[in-house]
Amino acid sequence: METYEGDSLKSPGLYVHVPFCRGKCGYCDFVSFVCQEKTIPRYIEAVGKELRNSRDHLCFRTVFLGGGTPSLLSSTEFQSLIEVLRVSGDLNQVEEFSVEMNPESVTEEKLQTLKDLGVNRLSFGLQSANDSLLLFLGRLHTFEDFKTAFEKARGAGFENINIDLIYGTPGETLGMWKSTLKETQSFEPEHISVYPLKIEEGTPLKNAGTEVDENLQADMYLWASEYLPTQNYQHYEISNFSKPGFACRHNLNYWENGDYLGIGVSAASHSAGRRWKNIYSLQDYCALMEQGGSAVEEDSRITPEAFLKEKAMLNLR
């Protein structure tokens, strides 16, 4: 019988949280910080120290830079971040290296830098092709900004691109959602992710009393799940569709209950029957790393019963 603990995988996934943003979207409950760009160099050094202290030079199969808004980093900062990852961990066996991008912060220089540094997958946060819905969500880009950014990414040679979409925003009709999906598909990205708008506690939308129509969201999801396979996108996970051969390997590792190491503020990790998560304070995280301490705030063992429940849940996805 499969065991819930044992030796850590030799090639786990590496997630690095980049918690910096120009603005906070109305629906976002992720750990991110606005107007903290001056802290980026200090944070990069802290990330390197945490990775060096985590394990003995792990060899990673996938790397994912998420946020926040990783594309807020300058080309020089991207170089510094990826260099500390190379020094602190083994990236020689990386098969998939993903970076999340927001359209308004994409430049040709950053794209070329990422390509030169070995990044081979981009994930664009488009959310909608309708500018009024983007404004409602608090996004800082327009659909035209996205088109320009996507074309620059193709021009830089990226051949594995995901586009994130949100459906069920108040004011969005089924027809508008169909239009967004068709517009998105027309760019022929290798991967499309679709998520229902959720109103989370503590977010501006929640505080404003925003509500969503879950029945309409269900209709939107069903239409997407019927339409995208006709356009050669395989529905391989609840929210994810990819062209053959382009399923996200990093996320598949999560869904297969594989080992992964999370580095940075609020990042979560899983290995050998154990789960742990870092603190949420940016300043405390940096200070602890500079002092040679640990940023882990939550740490627990996974019981055999919990392991089986998680495996069943993940298999259902």
Side-chain angles (χ1 to χ4, degrees):
M1 188 175 83
E2 186 174 1
T3 179
Y4 71 100
E5 58 182 325
D7 293 334
S8 176
L9 293 178
K10 294 181 179 179
S11 300
L14 172 64
Y15 174 81
V16 181
H17 192 58
V18 184
F20 304 97
C21 287
R22 285 213 177 103
K24 194 81 169 176
C25 297
Y27 56 88
C28 180
D29 69 337
F30 292 131
V31 176
S32 61
F33 306 94
V34 178
C35 300
Q36 293 287 332
E37 287 89 341
K38 291 183 179 179
T39 310
I40 292 175
R42 183 187 181 199
Y43 184 76
I44 289 172
E45 290 299 317
V47 162
K49 290 177 180 177
E50 185 189 4
L51 182 54
R52 285 194 295 275
N53 294 337
S54 295
R55 296 292 172 87
D56 294 330
H57 211 67
L58 283 173
C59 176
F60 297 103
R61 182 174 62 89
T62 63
V63 178
F64 197 106
L65 306 187
T69 309
S71 55
L72 189 61
L73 271 60
S74 67
S75 293
T76 300
E77 289 164 344
F78 269 126
Q79 289 175 330
S80 297
L81 175 57
I82 294 176
E83 179 59 27
V84 301
L85 298 183
R86 291 192 192 284
V87 170
S88 307
D90 187 350
L91 304 189
N92 291 325
Q93 302 301 315
V94 170
E95 301 167 0
E96 179 187 270
F97 195 139
S98 303
V99 177
E100 289 184 343
M101 311 287 284
N102 276 5
E104 77 279 356
S105 52
V106 171
T107 67
E108 292 178 353
E109 180 186 8
K110 290 180 188 180
L111 291 167
Q112 192 58 57
T113 296
L114 292 174
K115 198 77 170 60
D116 293 342
L117 291 170
V119 174
N120 57 15
R121 183 177 186 272
L122 301 179
S123 182
F124 278 104
L126 169 58
Q127 316 312 355
S128 176
N130 185 290
D131 285 346
S132 64
L133 296 179
L134 291 174
L135 186 63
F136 179 89
L137 293 171
R139 303 295 291 176
L140 300 179
H141 67 271
T142 64
F143 185 50
E144 194 64 34
D145 293 333
F146 162 76
K147 290 193 287 185
T148 300
F150 189 91
E151 290 168 1
K152 288 179 179 177
R154 286 298 198 214
F158 285 95
E159 299 177 346
N160 189 357
I161 299 178
N162 169 62
I163 298 177
D164 281 346
L165 299 174
I166 289 177
Y167 60 89
T169 301
E172 183 178 29
T173 65
L174 180 59
M176 292 164 70
W177 170 238
K178 290 180 179 181
S179 178
T180 282
L181 263 186
K182 290 178 179 178
E183 288 270 17
T184 301
Q185 182 275 323
S186 71
F187 288 91
E188 297 190 0
E190 285 67 35
H191 194 285
I192 298 175
S193 299
V194 299
Y195 304 103
L197 177 66
K198 294 184 179 180
I199 309 300
E200 305 286 0
E201 291 293 333
T203 62
L205 289 183
K206 179 66 175 181
N207 295 337
T210 307
E211 296 182 351
V212 298
D213 184 339
E214 293 183 351
N215 289 326
L216 178 57
Q217 285 186 332
D219 290 340
M220 291 174 167
Y221 175 77
L222 289 173
W223 191 85
S225 66
E226 293 171 356
Y227 170 71
L228 288 173
T230 69
Q231 306 302 309
N232 198 32
Y233 289 91
Q234 298 174 339
H235 193 178
Y236 73 96
E237 192 272 342
I238 290 177
S239 300
N240 290 276
F241 302 78
S242 74
K243 290 187 176 181
F246 287 95
C248 180
R249 299 182 185 184
H250 185 84
N251 286 339
L252 279 172
N253 183 50
Y254 291 150
W255 301 323
E256 292 170 356
N257 221 12
D259 284 6
Y260 52 88
L261 180 63
I263 296 294
V265 171
S266 77
S269 303
H270 168 252
S271 177
R274 175 183 166 223
R275 292 190 188 279
W276 64 99
K277 192 169 187 177
N278 285 347
I279 60 174
Y280 287 67
S281 167
L282 176 62
Q283 298 303 323
D284 289 352
Y285 171 81
C286 291
L288 284 168
M289 293 302 98
E290 290 162 356
Q291 296 162 10
S294 170
V296 175
E297 183 174 61
E298 304 172 22
D299 195 342
S300 61
R301 301 294 298 181
I302 304 171
T303 66
E305 294 79 9
F307 172 78
L308 291 175
K309 288 180 181 178
E310 287 183 5
K311 186 173 179 62
M313 180 273 291
L314 291 167
N315 283 340
L316 285 172
R317 289 187 69 91

